[in-house]
């Protein structure tokens, strides 16, 4: 995000040197960061973006948990609660006298986020550029700890039990973090109705915080192993926390895998795979993402294995299902969602 460079290139802030420590929260790959490679530590919990940063040679981690930096960069996400928590974390990671620079496109709610930060800290400067906003401020040399209301932001963005999810754990930054979407509910009902058939090695691809995987563990008595496969590290953390509430037997047969299922082969062969595939990149519909996951799932099934998918009725997966599977059929759903069962022979 080149907006983050604005204070250095247009406003006279001193450019970091190779000896400086720079943290970049929700980092994205871009050639503009090449000059800062040795000083930059990138944080990115979304596996596809994390892996792209690693391929470009940047030091990258799913989460920065300690250390201080002369400069902390923070890119806004579409999740307000996550972004506010990241801004609070950025403040704790910043050396006294260090510079915080944060930015986002207008569709992330950047103006509102910057107003909130501007009320929390003094002396900040903002600018509007390239359909987005950027804000920068120096941490006072004498200041220690968090300022209000950052303590609340940090708590609200943390892993937490969610009452609406019957005691399950989740957090802002995870898709549908405080609810269950109707497509997943429909698929869960189908799993319960066919609990005796679902057996052997099973995977939930695109598992999120673990809703479908937990349903499988609760209703299907013949599972030998269950893999929850998810690309967002924040969701992986929540899924692992949710497994901690289960019986020892359920925990023993289950593992959570941080993986980009659209780009990497699944970790083993399966008898059944269930999936509520994502179909958005940002706010844009990207059917290619779901198709890539379907292809990966088909390649990971044993002969005779079955794939269960829920999808919005307006999304056209049919031709791709023809190409990937021996047969498939629409097995239900409602006016908005279709349930598909496909077989590899």
């Amino acid at each position: 995000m080149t907006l983050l460079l604005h204070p250095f290139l247009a406003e006279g802030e001193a450019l970091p040197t190779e000896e400086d420590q720079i943290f970049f929260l929700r980092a994205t790959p871009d050639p503009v960061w090449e000059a800062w490679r040795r000083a930059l530590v990138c944080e990115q919990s979304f596996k596809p973006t994390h892996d792209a940063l690693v391929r470009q040679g940047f030091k990258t981690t799913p989460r920065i948990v300690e250390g201080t930096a002369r400069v902390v960069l923070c890119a806004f996400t579409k999740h307000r609660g996550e972004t506010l928590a990241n801004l609070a974390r950025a403040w704790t990671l910043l050396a006294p006298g260090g510079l915080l620079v944060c930015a986002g496109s207008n569709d992330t709610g950047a103006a509102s986020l910057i107003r909130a930060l501007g009320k929390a800290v003094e002396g900040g400067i903002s600018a509007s550029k390239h359909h987005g906003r950027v804000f920068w401020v120096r941490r006072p040399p004498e200041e220690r700890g968090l300022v209000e209301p950052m303590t609340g932001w940090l708590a609200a963005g943390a892993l937490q039990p969610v009452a609406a999810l019957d005691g399950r754990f989740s957090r802002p930054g995870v898709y549908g973090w405080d609810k269950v979407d109707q497509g997943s509910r429909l698929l869960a009902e189908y799993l319960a109705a066919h609990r005796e058939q679902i057996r052997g090695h099973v995977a939930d691809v695109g598992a999120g915080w673990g809703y479908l995987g937990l349903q499988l563990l609760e209703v299907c008595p013949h599972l030998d192993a269950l893999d929850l496969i998810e690309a967002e590290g924040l969701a992986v953390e929540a899924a692992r926390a949710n497994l901690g509430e289960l019986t020892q037997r359920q925990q023993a047969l289950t593992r959570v895998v941080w993986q980009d299922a659209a780009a990497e082969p699944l970790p083993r062969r399966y008898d059944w795979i269930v999936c509520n595939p994502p179909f958005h990149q940002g706010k844009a519909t990207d059917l290619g993402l779901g198709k890539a996951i379907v292809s990966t799932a088909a390649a990971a099934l044993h002969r005779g294995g079955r794939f269960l998918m829920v999808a919005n009725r307006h999304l056209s997966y049919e031709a791709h299902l023809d190409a990937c599977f021996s047969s498939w059929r629409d097995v239900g759903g409602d006016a908005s969602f279709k349930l598909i069962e496909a077989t590899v022979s």
Side-chain angles (χ1 to χ4, degrees):
M1 173 174 287
T2 54
L3 262 176
L4 291 166
L5 285 173
H6 178 77
F8 306 101
L9 301 183
E11 301 291 342
E13 290 289 347
L15 285 165
T17 69
E18 290 185 352
E19 286 70 38
D20 291 319
Q21 176 105 298
I22 309 167
F23 293 160
F24 187 178
L25 309 188
R26 277 299 183 186
T28 51
D30 194 301
V32 300
W33 308 117
E34 181 66 32
W36 295 1
R37 180 189 299 277
R38 291 184 59 184
L40 197 62
V41 179
C42 296
E43 175 184 284
Q44 180 53 258
S45 59
F46 186 51
K47 194 66 159 55
T49 310
H50 173 280
D51 291 352
L53 286 161
V54 171
R55 286 193 297 271
Q56 291 192 7
F58 292 104
K59 185 187 300 181
T60 310
T61 179
R63 192 167 184 84
I64 298 170
V65 295
E66 60 183 2
T68 56
R70 176 180 172 269
V71 176
V72 178
L73 310 174
C74 183
F76 297 162
T77 77
K78 61 183 179 180
H79 302 283
R80 179 179 175 85
E82 180 202 1
T83 296
L84 288 173
N86 281 345
L87 289 171
R89 290 179 53 236
W91 201 248
T92 67
L93 295 169
L94 195 63
L99 182 69
L100 170 64
V101 185
C102 56
S105 58
N106 290 332
D107 61 7
T108 63
S112 174
L113 290 162
I114 286 172
R115 281 196 300 272
L117 184 58
K119 291 178 181 178
V121 296
E122 296 181 355
I125 305 170
S126 67
S128 179
K129 297 284 181 181
H130 310 300
H131 307 290
R133 295 187 67 83
V134 57
F135 179 92
W136 62 103
V137 62
R138 287 200 174 274
R139 181 171 182 171
E142 69 281 1
E143 187 177 87
R144 298 291 185 272
L146 286 173
V147 297
E148 291 298 334
M150 288 184 177
T151 302
W153 297 352
L154 204 59
L159 184 68
Q160 57 196 276
V162 183
L165 300 179
D166 191 25
R168 304 302 188 194
F169 290 90
S170 190
R171 69 186 306 161
V174 175
Y175 173 77
W177 79 276
D178 57 352
K179 63 181 182 297
V180 179
D181 69 86
Q182 180 60 16
S184 290
R185 288 189 186 277
L186 289 169
L187 185 48
E189 291 171 4
Y190 187 86
L191 296 174
H194 296 80
R195 60 173 65 90
E196 292 297 327
Q197 300 173 35
I198 300 169
R199 59 184 61 223
H201 288 70
V202 181
D204 175 10
V205 178
W209 54 262
Y211 171 73
L212 286 173
L214 293 168
Q215 295 298 306
L216 283 162
L217 288 167
E218 290 178 2
V219 305
C220 299
H222 307 301
L223 302 184
D224 295 326
L226 174 66
D227 286 347
L228 307 185
I229 298 167
E230 170 57 40
E232 174 51 61
L234 298 179
V236 166
E237 180 187 7
R240 287 175 175 155
N242 287 323
L243 290 178
E245 301 297 303
L246 302 179
T247 67
Q248 287 187 343
R249 178 189 175 278
Q250 289 172 324
Q251 292 181 43
L253 61 84
T254 308
R255 62 177 176 172
V256 184
V257 183
W258 184 46
Q259 181 177 328
D260 176 11
E264 304 172 68
L266 299 187
R268 62 165 62 147
R269 292 280 183 174
Y270 299 96
D271 301 293
W272 290 78
I273 294 175
V274 302
C275 186
N276 182 354
F279 59 93
H280 285 109
Q281 291 279 31
K283 292 191 173 182
T285 297
D286 181 9
L287 194 58
L289 179 60
K291 287 180 176 179
I293 292 173
V294 170
S295 297
T296 300
L301 283 167
H302 288 300
R303 187 179 298 274
R306 298 191 190 183
F307 176 67
L308 296 173
M309 179 179 78
V310 62
N312 294 71
R313 288 215 173 266
H314 71 275
L315 298 176
S316 300
Y317 282 103
E318 286 75 9
H320 192 66
L321 291 165
D322 285 335
C324 292
F325 295 94
S326 305
S327 62
W328 64 269
R329 60 194 179 106
D330 190 323
V331 293
D334 60 15
S336 300
F337 295 93
K338 53 191 171 186
L339 295 175
I340 292 169
E341 180 180 312
T343 304
V344 172
S345 62

